[in-house]
Amino acid sequence: MASFIIEGGHPLRGTIRPQGAKNEALQVICATLLTREAVTIHNIPDIRDVNNLIQLLRDIGVKTSPVTSETGQGRSITFQADDLDLAFLESDEFVQKCAALRGSVMLIGPLLARMGRAVIAKPGGDKIGRRRLDTHFLGFEKLGAKFSRIEGRDVYEISAARLKGTYMLLDEASVTGTANIVMASIYAKGTTTIYNAACEPYLQQLCQLLNRMGAKISGIASNLLTIEGVDNLHGAEHRILPDMIEVGSFIGMAAMCGDGIRIKDVSIPHLGIIPDTFRRLGIKVKAEGDDLYIPHQRHYEIQSFIDGTIMTLADAPWPGLTPDLISVLIVVATQARGSVLFHQKMFESRLFFVDKLIDMGAQIILCDPHRAVVVGHDRKITLRGGRMSSPDIRAGIALLIAAMSAKGTSRIENIEQIDRGYEHIEDRLNALGACIRREK
């Protein structure tokens, strides 16, 4: 297990470019299983979760080859799934690897569509509360798939001779659930209609890639998707969007300990309300072309609602505020002028990391597993360094931001969680002036 040793109080300045989007990468890489032809994907982030998924695809027989790309534009890889290892797909080793990787759940839809069956184990991932998969499996059942438990193994098999298009109303607008059902329905006979579908930019990107491969998906960017089944998909090329969560994380870093930071090529139209949410905390965020510039923030004041009541920030499905940035926003609020209530609706364990911020001197009242009130210090009291452990990706980056702004030296353990979502983060931040050392 590795740790970060962070010497706080070093101002950050300069330019940084966000990596390719982790959540989009996991979806579009799984989509390459739907065709025998080559699919080239650009701007793939070099992070633990994505690399583990790519290795899992290699294990099941997918050929991968690097493609020369422009400097600073992320990795480009060509995937070709023309000779899958069916025996490995049935093995215990495959099941164990899937169980260790949350993103592996999105292999089920493509494998079910193309091979007619898939073996399912409970996937791993962040420890942020219940992350049920009912939406995925109810959707598969609507398409005609059947489940059976494999005796002697803690796994299920899902199979269908050929899926059949149908209408379905999802019980929640799950991003991964929608992605999985869309991929499963590509080869279904007839038309599939998905209502209450997720419409995040990364889901839009997946649908656009599938259409370039020969799928017939309409309603993209809405919560009503229609998929006309096709017989074959062909190869295509795709570029992954910048990671909106990393962009938001960099805004938070710039607010807390920046002395003028430019975030380069962020794809502003795909950020939704993220910049405006930071502006509600009083952060100056300037859009310049496709860049965001965050000047030095000597003080920033949390806005109130028009009627004068305390600001409340709550997560919601797109185009609402992504839950993945609540942790970062909480840290930023600790040094603001004023108070704010955070309501984390989607995961019941994601706010438990605030006890570490309280130990660092933050004024936070954890009302219940879903709500926390932050009373800002207005930079009159600096957070103090401490020793802590990263419980999940987003709490990990939030603690890193807190440590960089704190007085003294901090140690963050279990940074493998941060590595799952942020590419070479200490090298990129040290280039801006941070003082972060990795220790094994």
Side-chain angles (χ1 to χ4, degrees):
M1 185 178 293
S3 302
F4 279 150
I5 311 300
I6 305 104
E7 186 179 300
H10 292 268
L12 308 182
R13 62 178 66 90
T15 299
I16 193 166
R17 187 189 301 271
Q19 67 189 28
K22 166 185 178 280
N23 292 335
E24 180 186 340
L26 296 174
Q27 293 177 28
V28 297
I29 288 172
C30 289
T32 64
L33 289 170
L34 286 165
T35 178
R36 297 176 59 87
E37 297 186 18
V39 178
T40 300
I41 300 176
H42 302 284
N43 201 26
I44 299 175
D46 184 11
I47 55 178
R48 183 182 294 265
D49 273 13
V50 170
N51 292 341
N52 286 345
L53 180 64
I54 292 171
Q55 184 56 52
L56 186 57
L57 262 64
R58 292 189 184 114
D59 291 341
I60 64 178
V62 177
K63 302 180 184 72
T64 63
S65 54
V67 178
T68 302
S69 60
E70 300 175 34
T71 303
Q73 295 297 314
R75 294 183 295 172
S76 296
I77 299 176
T78 295
F79 299 82
Q80 187 158 11
D82 58 346
D83 186 21
L84 298 182
D85 185 348
L86 300 182
F88 185 79
L89 288 169
E90 302 291 335
S91 69
D92 289 337
E93 183 182 356
F94 173 71
V95 170
Q96 290 166 3
K97 288 189 173 184
C98 287
L101 176 64
R102 177 77 188 179
S104 67
V105 71
M106 282 180 291
L107 294 173
I108 302 169
L111 289 173
L112 182 62
R114 182 173 164 189
M115 313 305 298
R117 60 200 302 265
V119 176
I120 305 161
K122 184 179 180 180
D126 290 328
K127 307 305 180 187
I128 54 176
R130 292 177 297 168
R131 304 180 74 182
R132 63 190 184 88
L133 299 176
D134 299 58
T135 302
H136 303 241
F137 302 139
L138 290 171
F140 297 149
E141 285 186 321
K142 285 274 190 180
L143 293 170
K146 303 293 183 185
F147 290 85
S148 60
R149 189 175 188 279
I150 301 178
E151 294 298 328
R153 303 167 68 189
D154 189 21
V155 297
Y156 288 82
E157 181 182 86
I158 179 171
S159 60
R162 183 173 183 185
L163 299 173
K164 295 181 180 179
T166 187
Y167 168 87
M168 64 182 79
L169 173 61
L170 302 187
D171 63 334
E172 64 171 344
S174 164
V175 179
T176 55
T178 302
N180 230 345
I181 295 166
V182 166
M183 289 189 282
S185 63
I186 292 299
Y187 291 144
K189 184 178 180 179
T191 299
T192 301
T193 303
I194 307 173
Y195 196 24
N196 195 31
C199 53
E200 270 76 356
Y202 306 146
L203 198 283
Q204 298 174 35
Q205 287 279 98
L206 170 67
C207 292
Q208 289 161 2
L209 167 61
L210 292 171
N211 278 352
R212 286 197 297 275
M213 294 168 66
K216 296 180 180 180
I217 306 172
S218 59
I220 299 173
S222 78
N223 67 348
L224 181 62
L225 294 175
T226 302
I227 304 103
E228 296 179 41
V230 298
D231 293 327
N232 289 290
L233 295 184
H234 51 73
E237 201 163 342
H238 179 77
R239 174 169 291 279
I240 294 172
L241 288 173
D243 195 312
M244 71 168 80
I245 312 303
E246 192 171 68
V247 172
S249 301
F250 292 155
I251 296 173
M253 292 176 191
M256 289 285 282
C257 43
D259 190 23
I261 290 181
R262 178 175 299 276
I263 310 172
K264 194 76 176 166
D265 300 331
V266 300
S267 189
I268 289 174
H270 294 103
L271 294 179
I273 65 171
I274 289 173
D276 282 340
T277 302
F278 281 95
R279 292 182 182 114
R280 284 191 159 192
L281 295 182
I283 308 302
K284 296 181 180 69
V285 182
K286 300 179 181 179
E288 299 178 356
D290 202 32
D291 301 349
L292 294 179
Y293 179 72
I294 296 87
H296 174 69
Q297 316 277 324
R298 184 173 182 181
H299 294 281
Y300 47 97
E301 185 171 357
I302 298 169
Q303 297 176 4
S304 298
F305 287 118
I306 292 174
D307 62 0
T309 55
I310 184 173
M311 175 61 60
T312 299
L313 296 179
D315 60 337
W318 183 270
L321 176 63
T322 171
D324 285 345
L325 277 177
I326 293 289
S327 301
V328 171
L329 289 162
I330 287 174
V331 170
V332 172
T334 65
Q335 293 302 315
R337 178 185 295 145
S339 301
V340 56
L341 169 65
F342 289 96
H343 193 169
Q344 204 335 334
K345 299 176 182 178
M346 299 175 71
F347 303 107
E348 68 266 28
S349 301
R350 200 161 220 167
L351 295 185
F352 289 160
F353 86 103
V354 302
D355 62 343
K356 301 172 179 64
L357 298 179
I358 294 170
D359 289 342
M360 297 176 77
Q363 291 185 309
I364 302 175
I365 302 167
L366 186 60
C367 308
D368 55 46
H370 292 280
R371 296 177 301 161
V373 174
V374 181
V375 180
H377 288 314
D378 192 22
R379 297 199 187 274
K380 294 176 181 176
I381 302 174
T382 304
L383 297 178
R384 55 182 176 267
R387 184 166 185 159
M388 59 206 89
S389 180
S390 172
D392 64 77
I393 300 174
R394 309 309 173 186
I397 202 70
L399 293 173
L400 182 59
I401 295 171
M404 287 192 296
S405 71
K407 183 178 180 180
T409 300
S410 300
R411 174 188 287 268
I412 302 177
E413 299 172 342
N414 195 28
I415 61 170
E416 287 81 3
Q417 288 284 0
I418 302 175
D419 291 339
R420 290 177 49 219
Y422 292 85
E423 178 179 306
H424 311 302
I425 191 64
E426 73 272 28
D427 296 333
R428 297 159 73 200
L429 296 182
N430 285 342
L432 296 177
C435 185
I436 306 170
R437 177 168 52 89
R438 181 181 293 259
E439 184 178 276
K440 293 187 178 180

